[in-house]
Amino acid sequence: MHEDERAALRRDMRQRRRALDAARQREASLAVCAHLAALPCLKQAHTVMAYVACGGEISLTPLIKQLLDGGRALALPRCEGPGRMTARPVRSLDALTLGEYGIPAPGADCPVLPAEEIDVVLVPGTAFGRDGGRIGQGGGYYDRFLPQTDALRVGICHDFALLDRVPVQAHDQRMDLIVTPSGVTGMPGLRARKHTD
């Protein structure tokens, strides 16, 4: 269902992301991180799960460093097998090792953080719809992980990747907020989660 459309959208978005030069990537990263830092839900959160960008995704490194410098609890994903990942607490980006798909990740010796302890999950995506729909990279990692937690789901993408709608499937997890370099888009009508005030 929609699989050809989804595959074409992924290809297009990946090409557009990789076409951005380093200056535009950095500008997008700084803008998104500034929007995120100003969100009340992030200010109130005790534990935030972020990600390490790859393939032209919006980098959250400035925000991650800010959270760590402020003594906030931060978790990053670690792939545990096909379609399965865990959240692992980190205290420094220097402690990361090369994980699946060549993405830096917490080591296997880092303890697993129970998903229910996370207040906000910052979610990368290939494309998002203004109704909260998300298309990921195709591995299903976030679609399997997000149902384990009531954390607020914040999708992160470039402006061109926020569309009126995306072709979602039944298992695709929806977002509560989407943040792009231009600003924050709320998703009305989705169920309430933690720290939404």
Side-chain angles (χ1 to χ4, degrees):
M1 179 172 99
H2 306 302
E3 209 45 54
D4 289 345
E5 189 182 356
R6 289 160 64 87
L9 186 57
R10 282 195 182 101
R11 282 194 304 271
D12 178 50
M13 291 300 162
R14 286 169 179 159
Q15 288 173 355
R16 293 182 70 172
R17 287 191 325 208
R18 291 181 173 127
L20 297 174
D21 61 28
R24 290 182 68 191
Q25 287 279 19
R26 176 168 171 73
E27 183 180 324
S29 169
L30 292 174
V32 164
C33 289
H35 292 315
L36 288 170
L39 285 176
C41 62
L42 213 72
K43 291 178 180 178
Q44 297 166 11
H46 298 292
T47 303
V48 176
M49 182 176 178
Y51 63 86
V52 177
C54 70
E57 291 173 341
I58 299 275
S59 171
L60 297 182
T61 300
L63 178 73
I64 289 172
K65 289 180 176 176
Q66 182 181 338
L67 292 172
L68 290 174
D69 289 346
R72 306 284 289 283
L74 178 85
L76 291 173
R78 176 180 169 82
C79 296
E80 306 293 349
R84 193 171 71 85
M85 72 182 190
T86 55
R88 308 278 182 133
V90 295
R91 293 183 179 167
S92 169
L93 291 177
D94 295 334
L96 303 182
T97 61
L98 205 59
E100 293 290 320
Y101 309 107
I103 304 171
D109 56 336
C110 291
V112 174
L113 179 71
E116 60 268 20
E117 292 184 16
I118 302 169
D119 298 308
V120 176
V121 181
L122 305 179
V123 184
T126 302
F128 293 91
R130 294 184 183 277
D131 60 351
R134 171 184 178 269
I135 292 183
Q137 296 287 1
Y141 289 92
Y142 282 91
D143 292 323
R144 290 179 177 88
F145 179 82
L146 290 173
Q148 302 173 41
T149 175
D150 283 331
L152 194 79
R153 304 166 177 187
V154 182
I156 311 293
C157 68
H158 292 281
D159 288 314
F160 57 74
L162 179 56
L163 310 174
D164 287 337
R165 60 167 289 278
V166 294
V168 297
Q169 296 178 327
H171 63 268
D172 289 325
Q173 297 296 302
R174 292 186 177 271
M175 301 295 106
D176 298 305
L177 299 172
I178 297 171
V179 178
T180 70
S182 292
V184 180
T185 301
M187 304 297 120
L190 293 184
R191 70 186 182 93
R193 304 182 205 277
K194 294 192 229 175
H195 300 283
T196 55
D197 294 335

